[in-house]
Amino acid sequence: MGAGDLEPGRPLPPMRELAARLGVNPNTVAAAYRMLRERGVIETAGRRGSRVRPAPATTGRDHIRADVPEGVRDLSSGDPDPALLPPLARVLADAAAEGDRAPVLYGQDPVEPALARLVRAELDADGVPDGPLAVVSGALDGVERVLAAHLRPGDAVAVEDPGWSRTLDLVPALGLRTVPVGVDDDGPRPEEVRRALAAGARALIVTDRAQNPTGAAVSAPRARALRSVLREHPETLLIEDDHGHGVVDVPLHPLAGATAHWALVRSAAKAYGPDLRLAVLTGDAVTVDRVRGRQRLGPGWVSRLLQRAVVRLRTGGAVDPAAVAAAYGRRRDALIRALAGHGIAAHGRSGMNVWVPVPDETGAVARLLHAGWAVAPGARFRISAPPGIRITVSTLAEEETGPLAQAVAAAVEAGPLRSYV
């Protein structure tokens, strides 16, 4: 394998056959196969035997997109509305001036005390169990660090399907296996979570609100059902992504505490801008200690300057969370109503995206692009879920809603895209 003679997907000989060929004890081959499986080099599928795993993706799903020509309205990005983001220059300057009076040196607390107090009060208000805090470089950085703190290559992770494309890329890139779990407007379906955990998934990743791409938000009844499932599997590593904090108008119903090891991460990206690269993570003591310990051996800490800037943004009224949530809500609801008027069901309970199930997403994306609208193909977000398209409504103007809905209806009703090759 190290020489590259065995290509990804190549089946391996049965263990007894290989042992006979090499003249070694079958137990030796079994131990080697087990080690390769644990390291994520091979995968075993019951009676179908073992085979070399595909190489982890480095480019990921970002290539699954339609190029946006000049003059086409781009609703495919997933970005927040720049008009709803605060200007950062003055805030960063003020935070830097504050730091000049007390510079941060090596060996100091990696978490800004003012940020810790602010975040802990917010988490308490949302019913998140008490736990230590860590500051990481964005939500995905936090998810990666928690997975690495507990899992080994070859372990299975239950992920939302459809779900955030970066998460779907990250899990296999770490040598882990994805197990898809279906999602509806209220979050992951409990029966599918139960099935995934019973089949051996060691971790579950849940988006609490503003799920990308469907806009799902975990409701109170769904949270109770999911906590019940998790209590049946208390060894499960639970990771909650609450990136919608500050831009959604639905309450948080956390699952944290239903298992021994858990983490909840909140990013500043959607409310204050992706370039801040900052998220706060809490969890059980063992998980957070492992995350912070590994962080010390790499970047050390996330800039306390950025942490102070986030404190100023949150306490200085730079963003009105209710107004931002209402703006995104109006745009989502308007598009969903307009689509319903054409007989098309769409999903978008929270956040800045609308998910539209379609029979032929390639054809729908191509026809919409031809009509002047760029949307994201559902293949970027799916494993085994039915096809769909994601429309980012963060910058959608009121007068655009009707024409867009009409264009979506025409693209869907046209049927599968024909090939004339």
Side-chain angles (χ1 to χ4, degrees), residues 1-354:
M1 290 185 197
D5 294 334
L6 297 179
E7 299 177 352
R10 176 84 172 268
L12 300 177
M15 288 185 282
R16 289 188 178 279
E17 177 184 320
L18 182 58
R21 188 187 309 172
L22 298 177
V24 299
N25 191 300
N27 291 335
T28 302
V29 177
Y33 274 38
R34 183 171 60 253
M35 180 184 68
L36 291 171
R37 187 168 55 251
E38 290 175 349
R39 294 184 178 183
V41 178
I42 67 173
E43 58 188 4
T44 302
R47 294 183 178 180
R48 289 182 293 173
S50 300
R51 62 185 61 245
V52 181
R53 293 190 67 197
T58 53
T59 56
R61 295 166 178 254
D62 283 350
H63 71 281
I64 307 176
R65 63 172 69 239
D67 292 330
V68 183
E70 186 176 352
V72 170
R73 183 72 165 90
D74 188 2
L75 302 175
S76 66
S77 69
D79 288 329
D81 183 357
L84 297 178
L85 298 176
L88 297 180
R90 177 62 184 272
V91 174
L92 289 169
D94 290 345
E98 178 184 340
D100 288 341
R101 296 193 296 272
V104 176
L105 303 176
Y106 292 106
Q108 298 188 24
D109 192 334
V111 181
E112 181 71 19
L115 180 62
R117 290 191 296 271
L118 177 65
V119 170
R120 190 65 256 172
E122 293 174 342
L123 293 170
D124 289 345
D126 284 333
V128 178
D130 191 21
L133 299 176
V135 179
V136 293
S137 298
L140 200 63
D141 181 47
V143 172
E144 177 178 2
R145 291 183 181 279
V146 174
L147 289 172
H150 284 283
L151 304 188
R152 297 184 301 174
D155 285 341
V157 180
V159 296
E160 297 163 335
D161 182 23
W164 189 22
S165 60
R166 296 294 173 86
T167 299
L168 301 185
D169 286 338
L170 172 66
V171 172
L174 293 174
L176 306 171
R177 295 181 290 116
T178 55
V179 179
V181 170
V183 176
D184 59 25
D185 290 339
D186 292 325
R189 295 188 177 99
E191 66 277 9
E192 296 199 26
V193 173
R194 178 178 282 110
R195 188 179 306 117
L197 299 183
R202 293 197 56 207
L204 169 67
I205 303 175
V206 175
T207 309
D208 289 316
R209 301 177 285 188
Q211 199 261 8
N212 189 356
T214 69
V218 177
S219 63
R222 179 60 52 84
R224 287 193 293 271
L226 290 172
R227 283 195 291 267
S228 177
V229 172
L230 288 167
R231 290 190 187 103
E232 298 171 10
H233 301 273
E235 73 286 355
T236 301
L237 172 63
L238 169 67
I239 303 176
E240 295 182 84
D241 178 1
D242 189 32
H243 69 266
H245 176 71
V247 298
V248 296
D249 51 5
V250 294
L252 178 72
H253 298 290
L255 309 178
T259 60
H261 296 302
W262 61 274
L264 184 145
V265 59
R266 280 183 168 174
S267 166
K270 296 299 186 292
Y272 304 114
D275 199 37
L276 279 173
R277 310 312 308 140
L278 186 146
V280 179
L281 181 149
T282 187
D284 68 275
V286 171
T287 296
V288 177
D289 183 64
R290 290 180 181 179
V291 167
R292 292 178 65 163
R294 182 63 184 89
Q295 196 176 31
R296 281 194 296 271
L297 300 178
W301 69 92
V302 173
S303 167
R304 290 271 293 267
L305 168 62
L306 293 180
Q307 295 185 49
R308 285 192 292 268
V310 170
V311 172
R312 287 178 173 271
L313 287 166
R314 289 194 178 185
T315 60
V319 170
D320 181 348
V324 172
Y328 290 140
R330 285 193 300 271
R331 296 164 195 177
R332 283 195 326 270
D333 294 345
L335 179 58
I336 291 172
R337 284 195 304 269
L339 289 169
H342 291 278
I344 296 176
H347 303 271
R349 187 173 169 222
S350 61
M352 55 192 68
N353 295 301
V354 169

Side-chain angles (χ1 to χ4, degrees), residues 337-418:
R337 284 195 304 269
L339 289 169
H342 291 278
I344 296 176
H347 303 271
R349 187 173 169 222
S350 61
M352 55 192 68
N353 295 301
V354 169
W355 177 257
V356 185
V358 297
D360 173 27
E361 67 184 44
T362 301
V365 170
R367 292 189 181 94
L368 282 167
L369 193 64
H370 182 72
W373 306 92
V375 301
R380 287 178 59 187
F381 314 99
R382 299 188 294 108
I383 299 176
S384 57
I389 57 175
R390 188 197 70 179
I391 303 174
T392 300
V393 301
S394 55
T395 61
L396 187 66
E398 182 179 355
E399 64 273 12
E400 295 178 307
T401 303
L404 172 60
Q406 187 172 359
V408 172
V412 172
E413 292 167 1
L417 193 65
R418 293 184 178 181

